[in-house]
Coordinates of all heavy atoms in Angstrom, one line a residue:
M1 N 0.8 -1.2 0.0 CA 0.0 0.0 0.0 C 0.9 1.2 0.0 O 1.9 1.3 0.7 CB -0.9 0.0 1.2 CG -2.0 -1.0 1.1 SD -3.4 -1.0 2.3 CE -3.0 0.2 3.5
H2 N 0.4 2.2 -0.7 CA 1.1 3.5 -0.8 C 0.6 4.4 0.3 O -0.4 4.2 1.0 CB 0.9 4.1 -2.2 CG 1.5 3.3 -3.3 ND1 2.9 3.2 -3.5 CD2 1.0 2.5 -4.2 CE1 3.1 2.4 -4.5 NE2 2.0 2.0 -5.0
S3 N 1.3 5.5 0.4 CA 1.0 6.5 1.5 C -0.4 7.1 1.2 O -1.1 7.5 2.1 CB 2.0 7.6 1.6 OG 2.2 8.3 0.3
Y4 N -0.8 7.2 -0.1 CA -2.1 7.7 -0.4 C -3.2 6.8 0.0 O -4.3 7.3 0.5 CB -2.2 8.0 -1.9 CG -1.4 9.1 -2.5 CD1 -0.4 8.8 -3.5 CD2 -1.4 10.3 -2.0 CE1 0.4 9.8 -4.0 CE2 -0.6 11.3 -2.5 CZ 0.3 11.0 -3.4 OH 1.1 12.0 -3.9
D5 N -3.0 5.5 -0.1 CA -4.0 4.5 0.4 C -4.1 4.6 1.9 O -5.3 4.6 2.4 CB -3.5 3.1 0.0 CG -3.4 2.9 -1.5 OD1 -4.2 3.6 -2.2 OD2 -2.6 2.1 -1.9
I6 N -3.0 4.7 2.6 CA -3.1 4.8 4.1 C -3.8 6.1 4.5 O -4.6 6.1 5.4 CB -1.7 4.6 4.7 CG1 -1.2 3.2 4.4 CG2 -1.7 4.9 6.2 CD1 0.3 3.0 4.7
A7 N -3.5 7.2 3.8 CA -4.1 8.5 4.1 C -5.6 8.4 3.9 O -6.4 8.9 4.7 CB -3.5 9.6 3.3
A8 N -6.0 7.8 2.8 CA -7.4 7.7 2.5 C -8.2 6.9 3.5 O -9.3 7.2 4.0 CB -7.7 7.1 1.1
I9 N -7.6 5.8 4.0 CA -8.2 4.9 5.0 C -8.3 5.7 6.3 O -9.3 5.7 7.0 CB -7.3 3.6 5.2 CG1 -7.5 2.8 4.0 CG2 -7.8 2.9 6.5 CD1 -6.6 1.6 3.9
L10 N -7.2 6.4 6.7 CA -7.2 7.2 7.9 C -8.2 8.3 7.9 O -8.9 8.6 8.9 CB -5.8 7.8 8.2 CG -4.7 6.7 8.6 CD1 -3.4 7.4 8.8 CD2 -5.1 6.0 9.9
V11 N -8.3 9.0 6.8 CA -9.4 10.1 6.6 C -10.8 9.5 6.7 O -11.6 10.0 7.4 CB -9.2 10.8 5.3 CG1 -10.4 11.7 5.0 CG2 -7.9 11.7 5.3
Y12 N -11.0 8.3 6.1 CA -12.3 7.7 6.1 C -12.7 7.3 7.6 O -13.8 7.7 8.1 CB -12.3 6.4 5.3 CG -13.5 5.5 5.5 CD1 -14.7 5.9 4.9 CD2 -13.5 4.4 6.3 CE1 -15.8 5.1 5.1 CE2 -14.6 3.6 6.4 CZ -15.8 4.0 5.9 OH -16.9 3.2 6.1
F13 N -11.8 6.7 8.3 CA -12.1 6.3 9.7 C -12.2 7.6 10.6 O -13.0 7.6 11.5 CB -11.0 5.4 10.3 CG -11.2 3.9 9.8 CD1 -10.3 3.3 9.0 CD2 -12.3 3.2 10.3 CE1 -10.5 2.0 8.6 CE2 -12.5 1.9 9.9 CZ -11.6 1.3 9.1
G14 N -11.4 8.6 10.3 CA -11.5 9.8 11.1 C -12.9 10.5 10.9 O -13.5 10.9 11.8
V15 N -13.4 10.5 9.6 CA -14.7 11.1 9.4 C -15.8 10.2 10.0 O -16.7 10.8 10.7 CB -14.9 11.2 7.8 CG1 -16.4 11.5 7.5 CG2 -14.0 12.2 7.2
V16 N -15.7 8.9 9.9 CA -16.8 8.1 10.5 C -16.8 8.2 12.0 O -17.8 8.4 12.7 CB -16.6 6.6 10.1 CG1 -17.4 5.7 10.9 CG2 -16.8 6.4 8.6
I17 N -15.6 8.2 12.6 CA -15.5 8.3 14.1 C -16.0 9.8 14.5 O -16.7 9.9 15.5 CB -14.1 8.0 14.6 CG1 -13.8 6.5 14.5 CG2 -13.9 8.5 16.0 CD1 -12.4 6.1 14.7
G18 N -15.6 10.8 13.8 CA -16.0 12.1 14.1 C -17.5 12.3 14.0 O -18.1 12.9 14.9
I19 N -18.2 11.8 13.0 CA -19.6 11.8 12.9 C -20.3 11.1 14.0 O -21.3 11.5 14.6 CB -20.1 11.3 11.5 CG1 -19.7 12.3 10.4 CG2 -21.6 11.1 11.5 CD1 -19.9 11.8 9.0
G20 N -19.7 9.9 14.4 CA -20.3 9.2 15.5 C -20.2 9.9 16.8 O -21.1 9.9 17.6
I21 N -19.0 10.5 17.1 CA -18.9 11.3 18.3 C -19.8 12.5 18.3 O -20.4 12.8 19.3 CB -17.4 11.7 18.5 CG1 -16.6 10.4 18.8 CG2 -17.3 12.7 19.6 CD1 -15.1 10.7 18.8
W22 N -19.9 13.2 17.2 CA -20.7 14.4 17.1 C -22.2 14.0 17.3 O -22.9 14.7 18.0 CB -20.6 15.0 15.7 CG -21.6 16.1 15.5 CD1 -21.6 17.4 16.0 CD2 -22.8 16.0 14.6 NE1 -22.7 18.1 15.5 CE2 -23.4 17.2 14.7 CE3 -23.3 15.0 13.9 CZ2 -24.6 17.5 14.0 CZ3 -24.5 15.2 13.2 CH2 -25.1 16.4 13.3
S23 N -22.6 12.9 16.7 CA -24.0 12.4 16.9 C -24.3 12.0 18.3 O -25.4 12.3 18.8 CB -24.3 11.3 15.9 OG -25.6 10.8 16.1
S24 N -23.4 11.4 18.9 CA -23.6 10.9 20.3 C -23.6 12.1 21.3 O -24.2 12.0 22.4 CB -22.6 9.8 20.7 OG -21.3 10.3 20.8
C25 N -22.9 13.1 21.0 CA -22.8 14.2 21.9 C -23.9 15.3 21.7 O -24.1 16.1 22.5 CB -21.4 14.9 21.8 SG -20.1 13.9 22.4
K26 N -24.5 15.2 20.6 CA -25.6 16.2 20.3 C -26.7 16.0 21.3 O -27.2 14.9 21.6 CB -26.1 15.9 18.8 CG -27.0 17.0 18.3 CD -27.3 16.6 16.8 CE -28.4 17.6 16.3 NZ -28.8 17.3 15.0
N27 N -27.2 17.2 21.7 CA -28.3 17.2 22.7 C -29.6 16.8 22.0 O -30.1 17.6 21.2 CB -28.4 18.5 23.4 CG -29.4 18.5 24.5 OD1 -29.9 17.5 24.9 ND2 -29.6 19.7 25.1
R28 N -30.2 15.7 22.4 CA -31.5 15.3 21.9 C -32.6 15.5 22.9 O -33.8 15.3 22.5 CB -31.4 13.9 21.4 CG -30.5 13.8 20.1 CD -30.5 12.4 19.7 NE -29.8 12.3 18.4 CZ -28.5 12.3 18.2 NH1 -27.7 12.5 19.3 NH2 -28.0 12.2 17.0
G29 N -32.4 15.8 24.1 CA -33.4 16.1 25.0 C -34.0 14.9 25.8 O -34.3 15.0 26.9
S30 N -34.1 13.8 25.1 CA -34.7 12.6 25.8 C -34.3 11.4 25.0 O -33.6 11.4 24.0 CB -36.2 12.7 25.8 OG -36.7 12.6 24.5
V31 N -34.7 10.3 25.5 CA -34.4 9.0 24.9 C -35.2 8.9 23.5 O -34.7 8.4 22.5 CB -34.8 7.8 25.8 CG1 -34.7 6.5 25.1 CG2 -34.0 7.8 27.0
D32 N -36.4 9.5 23.5 CA -37.2 9.5 22.2 C -36.4 10.3 21.1 O -36.6 9.9 20.0 CB -38.6 10.0 22.5 CG -39.5 9.1 23.2 OD1 -39.2 7.9 23.1 OD2 -40.5 9.5 23.7
G33 N -35.7 11.3 21.5 CA -35.0 12.1 20.5 C -33.8 11.3 20.0 O -33.5 11.6 18.8
Y34 N -33.3 10.5 20.7 CA -32.1 9.7 20.3 C -32.6 8.5 19.5 O -31.9 8.1 18.5 CB -31.3 9.2 21.4 CG -30.0 8.6 21.1 CD1 -28.9 9.4 20.6 CD2 -29.7 7.3 21.1 CE1 -27.7 8.9 20.3 CE2 -28.5 6.7 20.7 CZ -27.5 7.5 20.3 OH -26.3 7.0 19.9
F35 N -33.7 7.9 19.8 CA -34.2 6.7 19.2 C -35.0 7.0 18.0 O -36.1 7.6 18.1 CB -34.9 5.8 20.2 CG -35.4 4.5 19.6 CD1 -34.5 3.5 19.3 CD2 -36.7 4.4 19.3 CE1 -35.0 2.3 18.8 CE2 -37.2 3.2 18.8 CZ -36.3 2.2 18.5
L36 N -34.6 6.7 16.8 CA -35.4 6.8 15.6 C -36.0 8.2 15.4 O -37.1 8.4 15.0 CB -36.6 5.8 15.6 CG -36.3 4.4 15.5 CD1 -37.5 3.5 15.5 CD2 -35.5 4.1 14.2
A37 N -35.1 9.2 15.6 CA -35.5 10.6 15.3 C -36.8 11.0 15.9 O -37.7 11.5 15.2 CB -35.4 10.9 13.8
K38 N -36.9 10.9 17.2 CA -38.2 11.2 17.9 C -39.4 10.4 17.4 O -40.5 10.9 17.4 CB -38.4 12.7 17.9 CG -37.4 13.5 18.6 CD -37.8 15.0 18.6 CE -36.7 15.7 19.3 NZ -36.9 17.1 19.4
R39 N -39.1 9.2 17.0 CA -40.1 8.3 16.5 C -40.9 8.8 15.3 O -42.0 8.4 15.0 CB -41.1 7.8 17.6 CG -40.4 7.1 18.7 CD -41.4 6.7 19.7 NE -40.7 6.1 20.9 CZ -40.6 4.8 21.1 NH1 -41.0 4.0 20.2 NH2 -40.0 4.4 22.2
S40 N -40.3 9.7 14.6 CA -40.9 10.3 13.4 C -40.3 9.8 12.1 O -40.8 10.1 11.0 CB -40.8 11.8 13.4 OG -39.5 12.2 13.3
M41 N -39.3 8.9 12.2 CA -38.7 8.4 11.0 C -39.6 7.3 10.4 O -40.2 6.5 11.0 CB -37.3 7.8 11.4 CG -36.5 7.3 10.1 SD -34.9 6.6 10.6 CE -34.1 8.1 11.0
H42 N -39.6 7.3 9.0 CA -40.4 6.4 8.3 C -39.8 5.0 8.4 O -38.6 4.9 8.6 CB -40.5 6.8 6.8 CG -41.7 6.2 6.1 ND1 -41.5 5.2 5.2 CD2 -43.0 6.5 6.1 CE1 -42.6 4.8 4.7 NE2 -43.5 5.6 5.2
F43 N -40.5 3.9 8.2 CA -40.0 2.6 8.3 C -39.0 2.2 7.2 O -38.2 1.3 7.4 CB -41.1 1.6 8.4 CG -41.8 1.3 7.1 CD1 -41.4 0.2 6.3 CD2 -42.9 2.1 6.7 CE1 -42.0 0.0 5.1 CE2 -43.5 1.8 5.5 CZ -43.1 0.8 4.7
I44 N -39.1 2.8 6.1 CA -38.2 2.4 4.9 C -36.7 2.7 5.2 O -35.9 1.8 5.0 CB -38.7 3.1 3.6 CG1 -40.0 2.6 3.2 CG2 -37.6 3.0 2.5 CD1 -40.6 3.2 2.0
P45 N -36.3 3.9 5.8 CA -34.9 4.0 6.1 C -34.4 3.1 7.2 O -33.3 2.6 7.2 CB -34.7 5.4 6.5 CG -36.0 6.1 6.1 CD -37.0 5.1 5.9
V46 N -35.3 2.8 8.1 CA -35.0 1.9 9.2 C -34.8 0.5 8.7 O -33.8 -0.2 9.0 CB -36.0 1.9 10.3 CG1 -35.7 0.8 11.4 CG2 -36.2 3.2 10.9
G47 N -35.7 0.0 7.8 CA -35.5 -1.3 7.2 C -34.3 -1.4 6.3 O -33.6 -2.4 6.3
A48 N -34.1 -0.3 5.5 CA -32.9 -0.3 4.7 C -31.6 -0.4 5.5 O -30.6 -1.0 5.1 CB -32.9 0.9 3.8
S49 N -31.6 0.3 6.6 CA -30.4 0.3 7.5 C -30.2 -1.1 8.0 O -29.0 -1.6 8.1 CB -30.6 1.3 8.6 OG -29.5 1.1 9.6
L50 N -31.3 -1.8 8.5 CA -31.1 -3.2 9.0 C -30.7 -4.1 7.9 O -29.8 -5.0 8.1 CB -32.5 -3.6 9.6 CG -32.9 -3.0 10.8 CD1 -34.3 -3.4 11.2 CD2 -32.0 -3.4 12.0
F51 N -31.2 -3.9 6.7 CA -30.8 -4.8 5.6 C -29.3 -4.5 5.2 O -28.6 -5.5 5.0 CB -31.7 -4.5 4.4 CG -31.3 -5.3 3.2 CD1 -31.7 -6.7 3.1 CD2 -30.7 -4.8 2.1 CE1 -31.3 -7.4 2.0 CE2 -30.3 -5.5 1.0 CZ -30.7 -6.9 0.9
A52 N -28.9 -3.3 5.1 CA -27.5 -2.9 4.8 C -26.5 -3.4 5.8 O -25.4 -3.8 5.5 CB -27.4 -1.4 4.5
S53 N -26.9 -3.4 7.1 CA -26.0 -3.8 8.1 C -25.9 -5.4 8.1 O -24.9 -5.9 8.7 CB -26.4 -3.3 9.5 OG -27.7 -3.9 9.9
N54 N -26.8 -6.1 7.5 CA -26.7 -7.5 7.4 C -25.9 -8.0 6.2 O -25.5 -9.2 6.2 CB -28.1 -8.1 7.3 CG -28.2 -9.6 7.5 OD1 -27.4 -10.1 8.2 ND2 -29.2 -10.2 6.9
I55 N -25.6 -7.1 5.3 CA -24.8 -7.5 4.1 C -23.3 -7.4 4.4 O -22.9 -6.4 4.9 CB -25.2 -6.6 2.9 CG1 -26.7 -6.8 2.6 CG2 -24.4 -7.0 1.7 CD1 -27.1 -8.1 2.1
G56 N -22.6 -8.4 4.0 CA -21.1 -8.4 4.3 C -20.4 -9.0 3.1 O -21.0 -9.4 2.1
S57 N -19.1 -9.2 3.3 CA -18.3 -9.8 2.3 C -18.7 -11.3 2.0 O -18.6 -11.8 0.9 CB -16.8 -9.8 2.7 OG -16.6 -10.5 3.9
G58 N -19.3 -11.9 3.0 CA -19.8 -13.3 2.8 C -20.9 -13.4 1.8 O -21.0 -14.3 1.1
H59 N -21.7 -12.3 1.7 CA -22.8 -12.3 0.8 C -22.3 -12.0 -0.6 O -22.7 -12.7 -1.6 CB -23.8 -11.2 1.1 CG -24.6 -11.6 2.3 ND1 -24.3 -11.3 3.6 CD2 -25.8 -12.2 2.4 CE1 -25.2 -11.7 4.4 NE2 -26.2 -12.3 3.7
F60 N -21.3 -11.1 -0.8 CA -20.9 -10.7 -2.1 C -19.9 -11.7 -2.7 O -20.0 -12.0 -3.9 CB -20.2 -9.3 -2.0 CG -21.1 -8.2 -1.8 CD1 -21.0 -7.4 -0.7 CD2 -22.1 -8.0 -2.7 CE1 -21.9 -6.4 -0.4 CE2 -23.0 -6.9 -2.4 CZ -22.9 -6.1 -1.3
I61 N -19.1 -12.3 -1.9 CA -18.1 -13.2 -2.4 C -18.4 -14.7 -2.2 O -18.5 -15.5 -3.1 CB -16.7 -12.9 -1.8 CG1 -16.3 -11.5 -2.2 CG2 -15.6 -13.9 -2.3 CD1 -15.1 -10.9 -1.4
G62 N -18.7 -15.0 -0.9 CA -18.9 -16.4 -0.6 C -20.2 -17.0 -1.1 O -20.1 -18.1 -1.8
L63 N -21.3 -16.3 -1.0 CA -22.5 -16.9 -1.5 C -22.6 -16.8 -3.0 O -23.2 -17.7 -3.6 CB -23.7 -16.1 -0.9 CG -24.0 -16.4 0.6 CD1 -25.1 -15.5 1.1 CD2 -24.3 -17.9 0.8
A64 N -22.0 -15.9 -3.6 CA -21.9 -15.8 -5.1 C -21.2 -17.0 -5.6 O -21.6 -17.7 -6.6 CB -21.3 -14.5 -5.6
G65 N -20.0 -17.3 -5.0 CA -19.3 -18.5 -5.4 C -20.0 -19.8 -5.1 O -20.0 -20.7 -6.0
S66 N -20.7 -19.9 -4.0 CA -21.4 -21.1 -3.7 C -22.6 -21.3 -4.6 O -22.9 -22.4 -5.0 CB -22.0 -21.0 -2.2 OG -20.9 -21.0 -1.3
G67 N -23.2 -20.2 -5.0 CA -24.3 -20.3 -5.9 C -23.9 -20.7 -7.3 O -24.6 -21.5 -8.0
A68 N -22.7 -20.2 -7.7 CA -22.2 -20.6 -9.0 C -21.8 -22.1 -9.0 O -21.9 -22.8 -10.0 CB -21.0 -19.8 -9.4
A69 N -21.3 -22.6 -7.9 CA -20.8 -24.0 -7.8 C -22.0 -25.0 -7.6 O -22.0 -26.1 -8.2 CB -19.8 -24.1 -6.7
S70 N -22.9 -24.6 -6.7 CA -23.9 -25.6 -6.4 C -25.3 -25.3 -6.8 O -26.2 -26.1 -6.6 CB -23.9 -25.8 -4.8 OG -24.3 -24.6 -4.2
G71 N -25.6 -24.1 -7.3 CA -26.9 -23.8 -7.9 C -27.8 -23.2 -6.8 O -27.4 -22.5 -5.9
I72 N -29.1 -23.4 -7.0 CA -30.2 -22.7 -6.3 C -30.2 -23.2 -4.8 O -30.8 -22.5 -4.0 CB -31.6 -23.0 -7.0 CG1 -32.6 -22.0 -6.5 CG2 -32.0 -24.4 -6.7 CD1 -32.4 -20.6 -7.0
G73 N -29.6 -24.2 -4.4 CA -29.6 -24.7 -3.1 C -29.1 -23.7 -2.1 O -29.5 -23.6 -0.9
T74 N -28.2 -22.9 -2.5 CA -27.6 -21.8 -1.6 C -28.7 -20.8 -1.3 O -28.7 -20.2 -0.2 CB -26.4 -21.2 -2.3 OG1 -25.5 -22.2 -2.7 CG2 -25.7 -20.2 -1.4
A75 N -29.6 -20.5 -2.2 CA -30.6 -19.5 -2.0 C -31.6 -19.9 -0.9 O -32.1 -19.1 -0.2 CB -31.4 -19.2 -3.3
T76 N -31.8 -21.2 -0.7 CA -32.7 -21.7 0.4 C -32.1 -21.3 1.7 O -32.9 -21.1 2.7 CB -33.0 -23.2 0.3 OG1 -31.7 -23.9 0.3 CG2 -33.7 -23.5 -1.0
F77 N -30.8 -21.3 1.9 CA -30.2 -20.9 3.1 C -30.6 -19.5 3.5 O -30.9 -19.2 4.6 CB -28.7 -21.1 3.0 CG -27.9 -20.6 4.2 CD1 -27.9 -21.3 5.4 CD2 -27.2 -19.4 4.1 CE1 -27.3 -20.8 6.5 CE2 -26.5 -18.9 5.2 CZ -26.5 -19.6 6.4
E78 N -30.5 -18.6 2.5 CA -30.8 -17.2 2.7 C -32.3 -17.0 2.9 O -32.7 -16.2 3.7 CB -30.3 -16.4 1.5 CG -28.8 -16.2 1.5 CD -28.3 -15.4 2.7 OE1 -28.9 -14.4 3.1 OE2 -27.4 -15.9 3.3
L79 N -33.1 -17.8 2.3 CA -34.6 -17.7 2.4 C -35.0 -18.1 3.8 O -36.0 -17.6 4.4 CB -35.3 -18.5 1.4 CG -35.3 -17.9 0.0 CD1 -35.9 -18.8 -1.0 CD2 -35.9 -16.5 -0.1
S80 N -34.3 -19.1 4.4 CA -34.6 -19.5 5.8 C -34.3 -18.4 6.8 O -35.0 -18.3 7.8 CB -33.9 -20.8 6.1 OG -32.5 -20.6 6.2
A81 N -33.3 -17.6 6.5 CA -33.0 -16.4 7.3 C -34.2 -15.5 7.4 O -34.4 -14.8 8.4 CB -31.8 -15.8 6.9
L82 N -34.9 -15.4 6.3 CA -36.1 -14.5 6.2 C -37.1 -14.8 7.3 O -37.7 -14.0 8.0 CB -36.7 -14.5 4.8 CG -38.0 -13.7 4.6 CD1 -37.6 -12.2 4.7 CD2 -38.6 -14.0 3.3
V83 N -37.4 -16.1 7.4 CA -38.3 -16.6 8.4 C -37.9 -16.2 9.8 O -38.6 -15.7 10.7 CB -38.6 -18.1 8.3 CG1 -39.5 -18.6 9.4 CG2 -39.1 -18.5 6.9
V84 N -36.6 -16.4 10.1 CA -36.1 -16.1 11.4 C -36.1 -14.6 11.7 O -36.5 -14.2 12.8 CB -34.6 -16.7 11.6 CG1 -34.0 -16.2 12.9 CG2 -34.6 -18.2 11.5
L85 N -35.8 -13.8 10.7 CA -35.9 -12.4 10.9 C -37.3 -11.9 11.2 O -37.5 -11.0 11.9 CB -35.3 -11.6 9.7 CG -33.8 -11.7 9.6 CD1 -33.3 -11.1 8.2 CD2 -33.1 -11.0 10.7
I86 N -38.3 -12.5 10.5 CA -39.7 -12.1 10.7 C -40.1 -12.5 12.2 O -40.7 -11.7 12.9 CB -40.6 -12.8 9.7 CG1 -40.4 -12.1 8.3 CG2 -42.1 -12.6 10.1 CD1 -41.1 -12.8 7.2
I87 N -39.7 -13.7 12.6 CA -40.0 -14.1 14.0 C -39.4 -13.2 15.0 O -40.0 -12.7 16.0 CB -39.6 -15.5 14.2 CG1 -40.5 -16.5 13.4 CG2 -39.7 -15.9 15.7 CD1 -40.0 -17.9 13.4
L88 N -38.1 -12.8 14.8 CA -37.4 -11.9 15.7 C -38.1 -10.5 15.6 O -38.1 -9.8 16.7 CB -36.0 -11.8 15.3 CG -35.1 -13.0 15.7 CD1 -33.7 -12.8 15.1 CD2 -35.1 -13.1 17.2
G89 N -38.6 -10.1 14.5 CA -39.3 -8.8 14.4 C -40.5 -8.8 15.3 O -40.8 -7.8 16.0
W90 N -41.3 -9.9 15.3 CA -42.5 -10.0 16.1 C -42.1 -10.1 17.5 O -42.9 -9.6 18.4 CB -43.3 -11.2 15.7 CG -44.1 -10.9 14.4 CD1 -43.9 -11.4 13.2 CD2 -45.3 -10.1 14.3 NE1 -44.8 -11.0 12.3 CE2 -45.7 -10.2 13.0 CE3 -46.0 -9.4 15.2 CZ2 -46.8 -9.5 12.5 CZ3 -47.1 -8.7 14.7 CH2 -47.5 -8.7 13.4
V91 N -41.0 -10.7 17.9 CA -40.6 -10.7 19.3 C -40.1 -9.4 19.8 O -40.5 -9.0 20.9 CB -39.5 -11.8 19.5 CG1 -38.9 -11.8 20.9 CG2 -40.0 -13.2 19.2
F92 N -39.3 -8.7 19.0 CA -38.7 -7.5 19.5 C -39.5 -6.2 19.2 O -39.2 -5.2 19.8 CB -37.3 -7.3 19.0 CG -36.3 -8.2 19.6 CD1 -35.7 -9.3 18.9 CD2 -35.9 -8.1 20.9 CE1 -34.8 -10.1 19.4 CE2 -35.0 -9.0 21.5 CZ -34.5 -10.0 20.7
L93 N -40.5 -6.3 18.4 CA -41.3 -5.1 18.0 C -42.0 -4.5 19.3 O -41.9 -3.3 19.4 CB -42.3 -5.5 17.0 CG -43.2 -4.3 16.4 CD1 -42.3 -3.3 15.7 CD2 -44.3 -4.8 15.6
P94 N -42.6 -5.3 20.1 CA -43.2 -4.7 21.3 C -42.1 -4.0 22.2 O -42.4 -3.0 22.9 CB -43.8 -5.9 22.1 CG -44.0 -6.9 21.1 CD -42.9 -6.7 20.1
V95 N -40.9 -4.5 22.2 CA -39.9 -3.9 23.0 C -39.5 -2.5 22.5 O -39.4 -1.5 23.2 CB -38.6 -4.8 23.1 CG1 -37.5 -4.1 23.8 CG2 -38.9 -6.1 23.7
Y96 N -39.4 -2.4 21.1 CA -39.1 -1.1 20.5 C -40.2 -0.1 20.6 O -40.0 1.1 20.6 CB -38.7 -1.4 19.1 CG -37.4 -2.1 18.9 CD1 -37.2 -3.0 17.9 CD2 -36.3 -1.8 19.8 CE1 -36.0 -3.7 17.8 CE2 -35.1 -2.5 19.6 CZ -35.0 -3.4 18.6 OH -33.8 -4.1 18.5
I97 N -41.5 -0.6 20.5 CA -42.6 0.3 20.6 C -42.8 0.8 22.0 O -43.0 1.9 22.3 CB -43.9 -0.4 20.1 CG1 -43.8 -0.6 18.6 CG2 -45.1 0.4 20.4 CD1 -45.0 -1.3 18.0

């Protein structure tokens, strides 16, 4: 890696950590202000955030290779996760509300 690569990585982590510290120190007045933007946030960004945080290198590289090697059987593994996520949603939804 060159010095430009290391500088880009350091700047990226600095920006992410800076935004995190700024966000956590910002006065929101109450727990409701910190959680889901005073409960006024629409469900689509929340769902997209949950979906995006679940995607990793295993999905992009590992599952693509497994799907190419073994076919549609790999997709059933991911579809079974859908059932578990729905059950967990029903369990934790009353806690969040």
Side-chain angles (χ1 to χ4, degrees):
M1 287 192 351
H2 296 288
S3 60
Y4 294 122
D5 298 327
I6 294 171
I9 291 170
L10 291 176
V11 167
Y12 170 76
F13 280 113
V15 168
V16 170
I17 290 171
I19 290 172
I21 291 172
W22 171 76
S23 177
S24 66
C25 293
K26 189 176 174 184
N27 185 8
R28 290 181 172 77
S30 68
V31 175
D32 284 339
Y34 190 76
F35 181 74
L36 293 181
K38 296 185 179 178
R39 298 183 188 261
S40 64
M41 186 178 287
H42 199 260
F43 74 92
I44 291 176
V46 176
S49 173
L50 290 173
F51 180 76
S53 66
N54 191 28
I55 301 295
S57 62
H59 287 87
F60 290 120
I61 298 169
L63 288 175
S66 297
S70 62
I72 196 74
T74 308
T76 58
F77 174 75
E78 287 297 312
L79 288 175
S80 65
L82 178 67
V83 175
V84 174
L85 287 173
I86 290 173
I87 291 170
L88 285 173
W90 282 105
V91 169
F92 287 111
L93 185 65
V95 174
Y96 292 142
I97 291 177

